[in-house]
Amino acid sequence: MDPGSSDSDAERDRDLAGTLRAALPDVSRSAARGDDAFRRARGTAPVDDARSVRSASSSTRVPLPTRAPAPTRRPSPPPHPPASSGSSSGAPTRRPDTVTHVASASFVLGPAIAGSTRILDETGAGGRRRGHGLGPAIAAAAERRRAAELQAARHLHERHVALYAWGRSDAGQLGFGAGGSSPTSSEAAEAYPTPRSVYSLDGRDVTHVAGGARHSVAVTSAGEVYAFGDCSGEGKVLSAPTRLREAVIDPPEVTATTNAMPRVATVACGQRHCAAVTMNGVLLSWGNEEFGQLGQGPPRDSSSKGDTKSLIRRRADASMMPRLVGSGHVKFTSVACGAGHTLALTANGRVFSFGRGAFGALGHGDRLNCDVPRLVDALWGVGVTQIAAGDNHSASLSVSGRVYTWGRGKFGALGHRDVDNCSRPTPVQALDDAGVRCEQIACGGDHTLAIAGGGSGVLLAWGRGSSGPAGTGATADVLTPTIIDRALLGDEKVFQISAGSKHSVAVTEGGCVYTWGARTQGQLGHELGDAGTSEHGVWKLSTGGGAAVSAVAKVAGLPAGRDVLYAVAAGDHTFAAVAPGKGAATTRGRMPWSGPHGWSLRAIELPPILELAESITALDQEVDADECHRIVPELIRAVEDVFSSPGFIVEGFAAPRFAEESESDACTSGLDVTSVEAVYSALCSCGRPEIIAALANASAKLLEALLDALQRAKTDLEDVNDTRVVVAAMIVLWMSPLNGDPALGDTLVPRLVAVTEQLTATGVGDLLIPWLAADIDADVFERRLVSPLMGFLTRSLGKDLARKHHKGRGLVGSIGPSGRTSPGGGMDIFAIRAAQMLGMLHAANEIRRKQTGEPIVPASVFYSQSLSDSLNLREEYMRLIQLDADGLGTGTWGGDRMNSYPACLRPGELVTFCQLPFLLTAEAKGRILQGEANLQKRHEMRMSHLSAIQNGQFSNDLPFGSPDAPFLELVIERGNLLKNALDAVASKTPADLKKPLRIKFKSDGVEEEGVDEGGVTKEFFQLMVREMFKDARTFVEFSEHRSEDKNSSLAPPMFTLDEESRYHWFNPAASVSAESLARFRLFGAALGLAIYNGVCLDVHLPPVAYRRLCGMEPTLVDLCELSPSLGEGLQTLLDYDGDDIEEVFYRDFVVERFDAETGRTLTTELKPGGEHTAVTGGNRKEFVKLYVQHALDKSVSAQFGAFKAGFEQVCGGPALGLFTPTELELLVCGDPEIDMKALERVTKYDGGFDADHRAIRDFWSVVHSLPIADQKRLLFFATGCDRAPVGGLENLPFVVQRSGPDTEHLPTAHTCFNVLLLPEYDCQEKLRDRLAVAIANAEGFGLQ
């Protein structure tokens, strides 16, 4: 700080003259020479002497950047033009400095040196000046020169931003100097009730002003800081603005030297301290630190006199030099000061507080003082865009427009409808209840102001009555936000507000300034006082000035025709900055104050990341290099700020929802997923590594912040809003394309996994999973959510395999909370957690399927081939058996709403990957099922052996079909296949059905030659299924037949056939007699035996049959698959938007069915009284639901129940629960799609054949030329099944064996072993002919 100057008058005059010439080139040379007279006439000027100007060119200064990286969402002040040296007179010249901010506090800026507060104030008591006593001609010349300088001052005042002030001035806090506000006034004043220009700051472009009760501080667009007023609280007054020139900007542990004062962006003042934010985002503070409000740690220990660093710090204390707060690594963007506490806002929307903690003003949940910046935890996820501080209360504005207040609640300053104190930031509930979102806030001593958002310009106020918050002159305390009547504001919208100790100021869009509240110090600027008024309109404080509180009124005395850029209520005085007059008109309207002026008074705005990224993509990197160099750093700062802030990232990507929030909104995250994807795509399209690096670093920081916050509040995180922010932010980060990159993904995914691990069951079950189900479309779901986790899981498994190969396979899994070892044989914990995260996605997929009938993505998207191949399936299955033995089961998936999520998805609770069956391929699950079957078969075989030995027999000596045989042996007559099978199965115990199946066929009483090694069993199942379905017909066919021959004894078929879908379904008209139900049980057992014995069946049941086997409820989608016409009709009923549903559809709550026994049409009510209940627009959903339940459940409950009982009698093991309905259908029926080229790739050859043999080439040439139907016949001929097994034909072991030289014999096959015996035919045509004959007669074994 420059306290003054001891240079000669002539030197200082030359400095000012040079300044005037630089600013006003049109001023005549004779006028410019009148330095002495002009300075005496003004009586005051900023203390910025010529000596310091001259030394600036020769001394070494810290280089200052020309662009501010921290406050990226506010327009940064433009760099000040460099000083120029040299002039016609040889004196150094400067361009006019610019002031951007003013603040007031009571602290010591340094000793006041004589002459430092005035420039050449040579005026005596009698008004005589240095020229007195000269001749009349000389005196007249002096007056003319003085008049010219006054005119020059007026020019300067009109051509630049001018600062006006009014109110209390007893300590020089208005900056007028000892001689008042006018160049011709020398009268000191205690208050100025009307606006006066602060001439000493003319030409310095003041962009912001702040103040306390007895001091003020101003900041210029060049980043200079000027202080004035009682800066010590002890009467040592700086009556003229004095520039601060030095600061300690390095941490004490690094260096203790002083530096040139850095360029400052904004400043704030408390009662006896100040804080400032530089254009680089560094936080500085100075002044009194009684309560730790400087944030610089405990007070210095005066005993450490020998320590050089301590000496330097004490030297800084002595001059109250601005000092660095913290390490300087956190980038701040604004600051606010209360009487004894300080708030600081970071560029990514976090709030730190320090100082006096009385009344809870720091927001830390207690009332303790804090001498270092501490994060306000309650606001960590809000995304704060503005902060404000009163004497003992604080406020913040979130990016969503919510207002939070805390601290002293006396007089209703917090707006919480009471006068209680609050130690943690709490939303102003009255605003939330009214759906009001705000765009600007301000705090006075004990009152608070806010401007409603949405362009309304509505002004709200609450708090202490003596501050007149209501704006009507009333003095009653206002406990809740109250709208100030717009009529009092000239029916104009308000766009800027500020609050002083007991008064308030507002600037309207029309450029008018209105004030209200306490007026005893002249701080309202409404009118002159009624007593003690001088000719210059000044007050003496002792005289008062009318009523104590005034209503809203317009400030008089500001220059007409000049826009007001901003106004500041500081302590008991007020400032207003007006735009230049002539030739510098500004735009009126919504934001007339564009640029740096007053930006500290409004909320920061989120940067247009998408626009910036698209601009970079559109630019040519070489042609537009300069533009790229300008935009890229701006985009990097924007990415770093937004993507490291949970509040910014959530609200920045929020879908519009402020008008009203319905109950359904709670089931969604509120994120605009399309915008998230667009921003990520645009950032990646920039092709700039530095941008990707910034995104990765910011994402990692945010994940760490989320993790820290969850760990801090793990035991008491009950605020639903906080949890919602965490989950929503996590979804945005989960969608990042960087997760799919192998290098970046291995860094980010573990952090993402760690965050989900810390989420509560409520956070996952009620928020994360339902939100994923509701918000994410298929493409983003698969590409951004599933695939990156799959990639990470695959890479982790690869590392595990390499580790096991290096150390051996004797690894033991880690112990989880359940006390069991983790699955996967020592698999990496992050891989296990990634698998559990995939489980969350799968649960969301199932919720979508439940809600809409269709999943987000097919189940196959979740298959992990690498996991299926790497696992020891037998070990995983044994873990599953133990889990079932403990009664824990595998959990259920996808309810209508998941209030909690399965235990297997919780940290440390996964016991076996069989609990996550969706990750295993259908082939892997098939191997588990076969393994289970083999275990059960071996068990039953051992029991049979033991039983035979106890009976004195050996199992090999037992006759075929003996009860003690180790196999389930059935003798079946081809002509009576269904009855033989029914009798045989009915005579067996459930244990017998677990044995390996062997079949012997008889034809006309003669046993066939086939030895059952699997092939005969395959044919048995195929023939039995064909027999069961051969009488299936449509309802129409059956009804017509019964109507023609009512005496017919034809029994209703077991199944009906839908002509459109070609699916068979259980016949509701089928008999429910014991014999009929036994046939359905046999059918179920046959399916179970087929699965158990690895046989595919040609069954045409609809998907709903398998879904019901898996315990799922039928839906309209299921009915549409079974009967498209019926389903379409019901859907039409649901979609009909007319009011005449009863007349158009004419339906009641009944279902009609033809009864085969009586030949009559039966009517069944869907609910009690349904025959008399018409279907209307209000109950049609109920009708459709009941109709579906009746058609697919209730009408066939007996038949389906018997079928399911027979199926579960055979397939009742836990392995079956691993399959989805689709996989179960594939297991039963096989894959109807066959790929003979895939079969060719895996075929092996024997008997002299190889892949290059001529006969083999001829064989495959013929096979590929066959139609699909003949290819299936060939497959059936060679393997006993015309469908591909689970996983496709590439999983079918198939052998082509040479059976001799050229011959007329037909090819043969060992269907038990999938071996085709092919003679070496001499030509392709002969091979085609012989093969065609063979596949056309593929049924039977041995000679027919």
Side-chain angles (χ1 to χ4, degrees):
M1 180 177 62
D2 185 3
S5 172
S6 59
D7 286 355
S8 66
D9 295 343
E11 288 176 328
R12 287 183 291 177
D13 292 346
R14 285 196 298 271
D15 179 26
L16 181 58
T19 300
L20 288 173
R21 282 195 295 272
L24 302 171
D26 56 337
V27 177
S28 65
R29 183 176 300 273
S30 61
R33 292 195 191 100
D35 306 319
D36 249 5
F38 173 66
R39 288 181 179 272
R40 287 193 298 272
R42 291 190 60 179
T44 183
V47 181
D48 196 356
D49 60 352
R51 180 176 55 189
S52 62
V53 174
R54 289 194 302 271
S55 63
S57 60
S58 60
S59 62
T60 301
R61 295 198 175 199
V62 176
L64 298 176
T66 60
R67 188 172 181 83
T72 56
R73 292 167 300 286
R74 286 177 171 148
S76 301
H80 182 57
S84 60
S85 61
S87 65
S88 59
S89 62
T93 61
R94 293 186 297 113
R95 293 181 183 270
D97 292 331
T98 53
V99 183
T100 62
H101 180 78
V102 181
S104 59
S106 299
F107 53 83
V108 177
L109 287 177
I113 300 178
S116 64
T117 59
R118 299 176 60 190
I119 297 181
L120 285 179
D121 187 1
E122 302 289 344
T123 306
R128 298 190 306 169
R129 296 178 173 83
R130 188 184 300 180
H132 188 72
L134 300 177
I138 298 177
E143 289 299 329
R144 287 196 298 271
R145 287 194 298 271
R146 184 163 57 253
E149 291 295 349
L150 292 176
Q151 181 65 27
R154 281 192 289 270
H155 277 253
L156 183 67
H157 182 71
E158 294 176 356
R159 291 167 61 89
H160 297 84
V161 172
L163 186 67
Y164 284 78
W166 61 95
R168 184 176 180 180
S169 184
D170 58 325
Q173 56 265 56
L174 298 186
F176 293 155
S181 64
S182 169
T184 62
S185 173
S186 62
E187 180 180 357
E190 294 180 341
Y192 290 82
T194 56
R196 303 294 187 194
S197 175
V198 185
Y199 280 99
S200 53
L201 292 176
D202 278 353
R204 298 185 184 275
D205 195 24
V206 181
T207 59
H208 187 56
V209 184
R214 294 174 57 80
H215 74 288
S216 303
V217 179
V219 176
T220 72
S221 60
E224 298 168 338
V225 179
Y226 291 85
F228 41 101
D230 183 1
C231 301
S232 66
E234 300 175 356
K236 297 179 180 179
V237 176
L238 293 176
S239 58
T242 304
R243 182 178 173 185
L244 308 186
R245 292 189 172 277
E246 292 183 318
V248 178
I249 59 175
D250 293 318
E253 61 271 14
V254 176
T255 177
T257 60
T258 60
N259 307 84
M261 183 72 177
R263 297 173 63 200
V264 169
T266 184
V267 70
C269 292
Q271 186 174 354
R272 298 176 61 191
H273 76 290
C274 277
V277 176
T278 72
M279 292 187 179
N280 287 328
V282 175
L283 183 62
L284 305 175
S285 65
W286 64 97
N288 183 278
E289 58 177 0
E290 177 183 359
F291 305 108
Q293 60 263 51
L294 299 188
Q296 295 168 2
R300 264 63 60 196
D301 185 1
S302 59
S303 63
S304 57
K305 298 180 180 180
D307 186 354
T308 302
K309 295 181 179 180
S310 298
L311 289 173
I312 296 297
R313 296 188 72 177
R314 285 199 302 276
R315 172 175 173 254
D317 293 339
S319 62
M320 288 302 167
M321 185 179 297
R323 288 178 288 154
L324 175 71
V325 178
S327 64
H329 295 152
V330 178
K331 301 301 180 184
F332 292 93
T333 187
S334 64
V335 65
C337 293
H341 71 287
T342 306
L343 306 179
L345 177 64
T346 66
N348 62 355
R350 295 187 298 167
V351 178
F352 289 83
S353 63
F354 44 95
R356 189 182 185 193
F359 311 106
L362 299 184
H364 297 158
D366 54 38
R367 299 183 180 183
L368 302 177
N369 296 346
C370 182
D371 54 24
V372 293
R374 178 180 169 188
L375 180 68
V376 180
D377 293 336
L379 294 173
W380 73 269
V382 170
V384 176
T385 58
Q386 189 178 13
I387 51 177
D391 281 351
N392 291 287
H393 77 288
S394 306
S396 68
L397 179 67
S398 76
V399 67
S400 64
R402 298 184 78 188
V403 178
Y404 295 77
T405 56
W406 63 98
R408 186 168 72 170
K410 190 175 182 180
F411 311 115
L414 303 184
H416 294 169
R417 301 189 175 104
D418 54 35
V419 294
D420 297 335
N421 300 332
C422 183
S423 61
R424 293 181 67 84
T426 304
V428 179
Q429 194 60 45
L431 295 175
D432 288 352
D433 293 343
V436 175
R437 294 295 185 262
C438 297
E439 62 183 27
Q440 194 178 141
I441 56 173
C443 284
D446 286 300
H447 67 288
T448 309
L449 307 177
I451 300 178
S456 65
V458 173
L459 180 58
L460 304 160
W462 60 93
R464 188 171 187 169
S466 60
S467 301
T472 60
T475 58
D477 295 340
V478 179
L479 305 184
T480 189
T482 301
I483 297 176
I484 294 182
D485 188 358
R486 184 172 289 176
L488 299 174
L489 300 163
D491 290 321
E492 292 189 78
K493 296 180 180 180
V494 175
F495 72 80
Q496 188 255 307
I497 51 176
S498 182
S501 178
K502 294 182 180 180
H503 74 294
S504 305
V505 61
V507 182
T508 66
E509 289 188 347
C512 297
V513 179
Y514 290 85
T515 55
W516 66 100
R519 57 174 302 196
T520 55
Q521 309 293 335
Q523 60 264 55
L524 301 186
H526 293 172
E527 56 193 25
L528 294 179
D530 55 1
T533 302
S534 72
E535 60 177 336
H536 300 294
V538 299
W539 276 359
K540 300 294 183 181
L541 294 182
S542 59
T543 65
V549 175
S550 173
V552 175
K554 184 177 179 180
V555 174
L558 293 173
R562 298 178 68 175
D563 289 336
V564 175
L565 298 178
Y566 60 90
V568 174
D572 293 322
H573 54 292
T574 310
F575 294 96
V578 297
K582 301 176 181 179
T586 57
T587 304
R588 301 262 179 144
R590 181 73 198 126
M591 295 293 284
W593 51 339
S594 59
H597 299 91
W599 65 264
S600 300
L601 299 170
R602 61 184 187 266
I604 58 178
E605 298 177 357
L606 295 184
I609 293 180
L610 181 59
E611 179 182 336
L612 292 172
E614 290 176 342
S615 298
I616 294 175
T617 304
L619 293 174
D620 187 294
Q621 302 293 330
E622 296 181 0
V623 177
D624 303 310
D626 292 341
E627 186 68 7
C628 286
H629 291 160
R630 183 188 68 82
I631 299 179
V632 169
E634 184 177 353
L635 178 58
I636 289 175
R637 288 192 299 270
V639 168
E640 289 174 344
D641 291 346
V642 172
F643 281 91
S644 63
S645 167
F648 286 171
I649 202 173
V650 171
E651 292 299 334
F653 289 118
R657 63 182 189 277
F658 286 158
E660 62 270 341
E661 295 184 3
S662 63
E663 253 181 56
S664 62
D665 292 333
C667 299
T668 66
S669 65
L671 294 172
D672 186 349
V673 176
T674 303
S675 295
V676 177
E677 176 65 13
V679 168
Y680 276 134
S681 298
L683 291 175
C684 293
S685 299
C686 290
R688 307 290 297 227
E690 60 268 40
I691 294 176
I692 300 301
L695 178 59
N697 291 332
S699 300
K701 288 180 182 178
L702 179 54
L703 287 170
E704 292 294 339
L706 295 178
L707 182 60
D708 291 343
L710 289 175
Q711 289 175 338
R712 284 196 310 269
K714 193 172 184 180
T715 58
D716 59 354
L717 183 60
E718 298 178 355
D719 190 335
V720 175
N721 290 327
D722 285 347
T723 309
R724 290 173 69 92
V725 170
V726 172
V727 175
M730 199 188 77
I731 290 176
V732 174
L733 295 180
W734 199 343
M735 291 176 58
S736 173
L738 304 187
N739 296 326
D741 180 82
L744 297 175
D746 287 350
T747 299
L748 295 175
V749 172
R751 287 179 167 87
L752 194 63
V753 165
V755 172
T756 59
E757 190 173 1
Q758 295 298 324
L759 284 175
T760 62
T762 300
V764 176
D766 288 350
L767 298 178
L768 177 60
I769 292 176
W771 286 359
L772 291 172
D775 295 341
I776 313 299
D777 60 33
D779 177 65
V780 172
F781 193 89
E782 179 177 356
R783 187 163 48 90
R784 297 296 194 211
L785 304 185
V786 177
S787 293
L789 287 177
M790 282 292 184
F792 177 79
L793 180 60
T794 299
R795 292 190 298 273
S796 298
L797 292 173
K799 295 175 184 177
D800 283 340
L801 289 176
R803 181 166 53 91
K804 290 178 181 179
H805 179 73
H806 178 69
K807 296 184 177 181
R809 299 190 61 86
L811 295 175
V812 179
S814 60
I815 305 297
S818 61
R820 302 183 180 89
T821 57
S822 61
M827 185 181 296
D828 178 71
I829 187 62
F830 284 110
I832 295 174
R833 287 297 294 147
Q836 291 175 303
M837 286 184 68
L838 286 166
M840 298 173 190
L841 292 175
H842 180 268
N845 200 48
E846 287 299 296
I847 287 181
R848 177 75 70 86
R849 184 195 60 78
K850 262 291 194 184
Q851 293 173 343
T852 66
E854 291 292 334
I856 305 173
V857 294
S860 58
V861 169
F862 291 95
Y863 289 159
S864 174
Q865 188 66 52
S866 59
L867 180 66
S868 301
D869 293 341
S870 65
L871 288 176
N872 184 329
L873 297 178
R874 183 182 184 281
E875 181 181 341
E876 298 299 318
Y877 173 75
M878 297 309 295
R879 288 172 177 269
L880 178 64
I881 293 295
Q882 184 61 47
L883 204 61
D884 276 358
D886 294 342
L888 300 178
T890 59
T892 57
W893 295 98
D896 291 325
R897 177 175 174 81
M898 297 187 67
N899 293 319
S900 61
Y901 65 113
C904 63
L905 297 185
R906 301 177 188 182
E909 294 296 330
L910 184 65
V911 177
T912 168
F913 277 102
C914 289
Q915 293 174 283
L916 307 178
F918 50 86
L919 293 177
L920 303 178
T921 62
E923 178 192 2
K925 284 183 272 192
R927 294 204 305 270
I928 293 176
L929 183 65
Q930 288 302 314
E932 180 184 71
N934 290 335
L935 287 175
Q936 294 179 352
K937 289 176 185 178
R938 284 196 294 270
H939 173 74
E940 295 303 330
M941 289 179 71
R942 283 196 299 268
M943 297 303 296
S944 296
H945 281 300
L946 291 175
S947 177
I949 291 173
Q950 288 175 353
N951 294 330
Q953 295 177 311
F954 292 100
S955 58
N956 292 336
D957 299 333
L958 295 173
F960 190 90
S962 172
D964 291 332
F967 297 91
L968 175 59
E969 298 173 332
L970 304 179
V971 179
I972 303 296
E973 177 70 41
R974 285 187 180 274
N976 201 13
L977 185 144
L978 202 56
K979 184 178 185 304
N980 286 171
L982 179 61
D983 293 341
V985 172
S987 65
K988 303 298 181 181
T989 65
D992 289 333
L993 297 178
K994 301 288 186 180
K995 298 177 181 177
L997 180 63
R998 284 186 177 179
I999 300 292
K1000 274 193 176 182
F1001 275 117
K1002 286 185 178 180
S1003 295
D1004 297 329
V1006 179
E1007 288 189 2
E1008 298 181 2
E1009 296 179 4
V1011 177
D1012 192 3
E1013 294 293 340
V1016 181
T1017 298
K1018 291 179 185 179
E1019 185 182 16
F1020 163 73
F1021 283 118
Q1022 293 285 353
L1023 295 176
M1024 184 174 64
V1025 169
R1026 186 186 306 171
E1027 184 74 17
M1028 285 183 173
F1029 285 104
K1030 74 176 183 180
D1031 289 333
R1033 65 189 77 184
T1034 64
F1035 283 114
V1036 176
E1037 285 183 295
F1038 186 74
S1039 301
E1040 290 177 349
H1041 180 84
R1042 290 291 301 182
S1043 62
E1044 293 174 0
D1045 185 5
K1046 295 184 180 181
N1047 297 321
S1048 172
S1049 60
L1050 181 65
M1054 293 177 62
F1055 299 94
T1056 61
L1057 174 67
D1058 188 272
E1059 291 291 352
E1060 288 184 272
S1061 66
R1062 305 305 299 171
Y1063 281 129
H1064 293 94
W1065 184 241
F1066 299 87
N1067 187 357
S1071 173
V1072 293
S1073 63
E1075 180 181 357
S1076 178
L1077 293 181
R1079 290 160 65 91
F1080 284 107
R1081 278 195 299 272
L1082 173 63
F1083 178 55
L1087 262 63
L1089 286 170
I1091 293 174
Y1092 210 64
N1093 289 273
V1095 178
C1096 294
L1097 302 178
D1098 186 20
V1099 176
H1100 297 281
L1101 290 176
V1104 65
Y1106 303 99
R1107 291 175 186 167
R1108 291 202 57 195
L1109 282 177
C1110 292
M1112 297 181 179
E1113 294 294 325
T1115 65
L1116 179 58
V1117 175
D1118 297 324
L1119 187 59
C1120 290
E1121 291 176 332
L1122 172 60
S1123 179
S1125 295
L1126 179 58
E1128 183 180 349
L1130 293 174
Q1131 188 62 52
T1132 300
L1133 173 62
L1134 292 176
D1135 296 339
Y1136 188 74
D1137 57 0
D1139 297 330
D1140 54 349
I1141 288 182
E1142 295 184 55
E1143 292 77 12
V1144 172
F1145 291 91
Y1146 200 69
R1147 292 300 303 259
D1148 297 323
F1149 275 71
V1150 296
V1151 174
E1152 297 178 346
R1153 178 180 67 82
F1154 179 78
D1155 181 55
E1157 299 294 331
T1158 63
R1160 295 182 302 172
T1161 299
L1162 301 180
T1163 299
T1164 303
E1165 290 186 330
L1166 295 177
K1167 67 176 184 178
E1171 192 172 3
H1172 305 290
T1173 304
V1175 176
T1176 65
N1179 61 19
R1180 54 183 169 181
K1181 289 185 179 179
E1182 179 189 9
F1183 171 78
V1184 171
K1185 180 179 179 180
L1186 293 175
Y1187 195 103
V1188 170
Q1189 289 179 346
H1190 177 82
L1192 300 180
D1193 185 3
K1194 293 183 178 180
S1195 65
V1196 293
S1197 59
Q1199 297 89 330
F1200 188 86
F1203 161 73
K1204 185 176 182 181
F1207 180 81
E1208 292 178 344
Q1209 185 179 8
V1210 180
C1211 289
L1216 192 66
L1218 304 179
F1219 291 84
T1220 65
T1222 302
E1223 292 168 340
L1224 184 59
E1225 181 180 8
L1226 188 64
L1227 194 66
V1228 171
C1229 304
D1231 191 348
E1233 301 294 329
I1234 61 173
D1235 181 4
M1236 283 299 185
K1237 291 188 178 296
L1239 182 62
E1240 181 182 2
R1241 288 193 297 270
V1242 299
T1243 298
K1244 296 181 179 179
Y1245 305 96
D1246 198 7
F1249 280 161
D1250 59 43
D1252 295 326
H1253 196 283
R1254 179 197 55 80
I1256 295 301
R1257 292 199 303 270
D1258 289 345
F1259 170 75
W1260 288 114
S1261 177
V1262 170
V1263 170
H1264 294 320
S1265 66
L1266 294 175
I1268 294 296
D1270 286 344
Q1271 288 181 349
K1272 289 188 174 185
R1273 291 190 184 97
L1274 171 61
L1275 195 61
F1276 179 79
F1277 171 79
T1279 67
C1281 179
D1282 65 352
R1283 294 194 175 202
V1286 175
L1289 287 179
E1290 57 265 29
N1291 293 314
L1292 178 70
F1294 185 63
V1295 178
V1296 178
Q1297 181 178 325
R1298 184 177 183 273
S1299 61
D1302 181 39
T1303 179
E1304 295 298 322
H1305 293 170
L1306 299 175
T1308 56
H1310 295 312
T1311 57
C1312 308
F1313 307 104
N1314 300 330
V1315 176
L1316 175 66
L1317 302 175
L1318 184 68
E1320 187 178 342
Y1321 297 112
D1322 60 1
C1323 68
Q1324 187 177 122
E1325 289 304 318
K1326 187 174 184 179
L1327 187 151
R1328 184 188 299 275
D1329 175 71
R1330 296 289 83 192
L1331 193 60
V1333 173
I1335 64 178
N1337 299 272
E1339 191 173 295
F1341 291 83
L1343 297 176
Q1344 300 297 311

